[in-house]
Amino acid sequence: MPLEQEALSMISGGMTIVIGITFFFTILFWLRQKKHHAGFALTILSLLLLSLAGRFMVEIFQYDVTHPMASEEISLQLGVSGVTWAFSMVCLVLGIYHFTKNRTNVG
């Protein structure tokens, strides 16, 4: 898919920076919290899967459209990216569940 020359590096760099900062703060909060280990682990797994889905998506933009099976390959890559993203969201929801299941109402 034709894009401006710097677009892919900006997309990849931006995703790497944002997910890297989020990953760093998640680890930092985990080290300071000392509980909710499953919630933090699932959140980190969610970030890793999100990174992988982003990688698959960026590869779609780099695919050679003159290849005879380009449409099929791009569709497959898009499907793999979507499934990886879906697993990422499942991990995120499970992580949120683990953060909230042991809370007691104070009041």
Side-chain angles (χ1 to χ4, degrees), residues 1-4 8 59-66 74:
M1 175 183 296
L3 293 172
E4 294 289 328
L8 285 176
E59 287 178 6
I60 290 172
F61 293 115
Q62 296 173 337
Y63 201 79
D64 180 19
V65 294
T66 61
I74 290 171

Side-chain angles (χ1 to χ4, degrees), residues 18-33 35-53 84-85 87-96 98-99:
V18 171
I19 291 177
I21 290 170
T22 306
F23 187 80
F24 171 76
F25 278 107
T26 303
I27 295 291
L28 183 69
F29 295 150
W30 191 359
L31 293 174
R32 295 178 77 197
Q33 183 66 28
K35 57 182 177 178
H36 302 294
H37 296 291
F40 282 110
L42 285 164
T43 302
I44 289 171
L45 182 58
S46 172
L47 290 171
L48 293 174
L49 288 171
L50 182 62
S51 299
L52 188 61
T84 307
W85 173 79
F87 280 127
S88 170
M89 294 298 103
V90 168
C91 290
L92 182 61
V93 168
L94 290 174
I96 291 169
H98 280 282
F99 283 124

